[in-house]
Amino acid sequence: MMRLTKFMYSFVKPILFSLDAERAHDMTMSTLAMASKSPFLTAQVNRFFGKNIPDLPVSCMGIDFKHPVGLAAGLDKDARALPAFSAMGFSGVEMGTVTPKPQPGNDKPRMFRLLEDEALINRMGFNSGGVEAFLCNLNKTDKTSVAGINIGKNAVTPIESAHLDYVSAMQRVYSKADYIAINISSPNTKSLRELQNEDSLDDLLLKLKVAQVKCQKVHKRYVPIALKVAPDLSSDEIESIAELVISHQFDALIASNTTVSRPDTLQSEHKLEGGGLSGAPVKNLSTDCIRQFYKLLNGRVQIIGVGGVKNADDAWDKMLAGADYIQIYSQFIYQGPDMIGDIVRGLKAKVQSHGFDDLPTALAALR
């Protein structure tokens, strides 16, 4: 079955890669959105991909995941395909980034494949149908895996008023989310990363925590919140962010978003395009960011590791560095759905090779 599914994607991939990156993305999402509306089609997706993935339980933010591999935000921006992604085998799907009001994002072209580097550059700019359309889509689908919702501010909202957008978005999505991710680290919205500065972040996290407490009282359920940060942080910035997520009792830190740096090793003709770089070249930068945060957070705030995960070795390195859960995106585009099961099986083999029965016990002993 695995050979068949790898052959299937090897047939589809050249067709998609012959198209402009964003057009291929839109076509893929339309297909998955259609499949998500059909229990028969999602069952077939699950039969080919998700059904054969073994359980490797982990807990993050108080949420129990079947295994530690989830989909990062950015692929399903408008909550159109949760059932299809769940059927592929993701234990969690982070949808968004969604903004309070609809916005088109930046001008096209704004997404580029760096084929030689197994990477992507995007400057999408939070293109979003808005929170109302997002929730309408989500209400039409069955939630079959952990559903994370990633929220951001509208481009027209002044940075000094950003908290109003984040609080508004949190209030609207709270009842539908298993966790909420606060995206202050996209490089493609003007001044957004200024929110990572100590004074701005302290104020934002305080207002978000107050909003979370109010939402908890209204909805009578606790929805964890996670802060998504950039990999382009100094040691001082990492230290101040760690102190703030601890003091404001955030549930997790997502490390990391795309980078604005351009490693000398990049070979693609698109390597100097503006925007955020993701994929294989970000792997070490992201893992180092996780390692630094882990030493400072010391288990008081959990870490979701994102950036350049290509295989079980990469996922294992991030988990040993301090990640409790892993997300993928760019390499999923390059490899297809089979990589989910490949990573989980590889992690399970590593746990067993070290003489342990479960992943959390192995990580606690080996970190």
Side-chain angles (χ1 to χ4, degrees), residues 3-22:
R3 289 181 180 177
L4 174 60
T5 54
K6 288 182 188 295
F7 171 78
M8 289 166 60
Y9 193 68
S10 70
F11 175 76
V12 172
K13 180 180 172 181
I15 299 173
L16 293 174
F17 275 45
S18 70
L19 304 173
D20 167 79
E22 186 168 357

Side-chain angles (χ1 to χ4, degrees), residues 17 19-23 25 106-124 188 262 268-279 329-330 333-334:
F17 275 45
L19 304 173
D20 167 79
E22 186 168 357
R23 185 181 176 197
H25 172 272
N106 294 324
D107 294 337
K108 298 178 181 179
R110 54 191 181 178
M111 182 186 292
F112 306 88
R113 299 186 197 93
L114 282 66
L115 296 176
E116 298 88 347
D117 307 296
E118 294 184 298
L120 300 171
I121 289 177
N122 90 83
R123 49 174 181 264
M124 305 298 287
N188 303 315
R262 295 294 183 268
S268 170
E269 62 177 319
H270 297 302
K271 64 184 179 181
L272 297 181
E273 290 287 349
L277 172 70
S278 62
Y329 178 170
S330 298
I333 303 299
Y334 279 94

Side-chain angles (χ1 to χ4, degrees), residues 255-269:
S256 63
N257 213 318
T258 58
T259 180
V260 293
S261 67
R262 295 294 183 268
D264 293 336
T265 54
L266 294 181
Q267 303 174 53
S268 170
E269 62 177 319

Side-chain angles (χ1 to χ4, degrees), residues 139-284:
N139 286 334
K140 294 176 182 177
T141 60
D142 294 327
K143 190 173 74 172
T144 50
S145 68
V146 172
I149 300 179
N150 185 300
I151 61 174
K153 84 170 193 72
N154 281 109
V156 296
T157 302
I159 200 68
E160 60 270 18
S161 302
H163 66 278
L164 298 174
D165 276 10
Y166 284 101
V167 169
S168 171
M170 174 185 282
Q171 290 171 337
R172 293 293 293 118
V173 305
Y174 192 92
S175 64
K176 296 296 181 181
D178 289 316
Y179 71 90
I180 297 171
I182 315 300
N183 189 350
I184 59 168
S185 51
S186 168
N188 303 315
T189 296
K190 184 180 178 181
S191 302
L192 186 72
R193 287 192 172 187
E194 292 178 13
L195 294 173
Q196 295 178 134
N197 298 337
E198 186 171 359
D199 290 341
S200 298
L201 187 59
D202 189 20
D203 181 66
L204 176 63
L205 298 193
L206 173 62
K207 288 181 168 64
L208 285 167
K209 195 64 186 181
V210 169
Q212 181 199 34
V213 170
K214 290 180 179 178
C215 287
Q216 181 184 4
K217 291 179 180 178
V218 170
H219 297 283
K220 296 181 172 52
R221 60 187 287 258
Y222 182 84
V223 176
I225 49 177
L227 182 70
K228 187 164 187 174
V229 299
D232 310 303
L233 298 168
S234 68
S235 297
D236 288 344
E237 288 171 324
I238 287 175
E239 186 173 348
S240 66
I241 290 172
E243 290 174 356
L244 289 172
V245 293
I246 291 171
S247 64
H248 290 293
Q249 299 180 329
F250 264 54
D251 300 280
L253 183 104
I254 304 176
S256 63
N257 213 318
T258 58
T259 180
V260 293
S261 67
R262 295 294 183 268
D264 293 336
T265 54
L266 294 181
Q267 303 174 53
S268 170
E269 62 177 319
H270 297 302
K271 64 184 179 181
L272 297 181
E273 290 287 349
L277 172 70
S278 62
V282 187
K283 179 182 69 174
N284 293 336

Side-chain angles (χ1 to χ4, degrees), residues 329-349:
Y329 178 170
S330 298
Q331 286 296 330
F332 177 69
I333 303 299
Y334 279 94
Q335 296 188 46
D338 269 313
M339 77 173 293
I340 307 166
D342 290 344
I343 292 174
V344 176
R345 281 185 288 270
L347 288 174
K348 190 163 189 172

Side-chain angles (χ1 to χ4, degrees), residues 28-45 80-85 87-88 141:
T28 301
M29 286 307 305
S30 294
T31 302
L32 293 176
M34 179 182 67
S36 292
K37 296 175 183 178
S38 166
F40 172 78
L41 291 177
T42 53
Q44 298 312 304
V45 172
R80 300 170 63 200
L82 176 60
F85 284 122
M88 288 178 193
T141 60

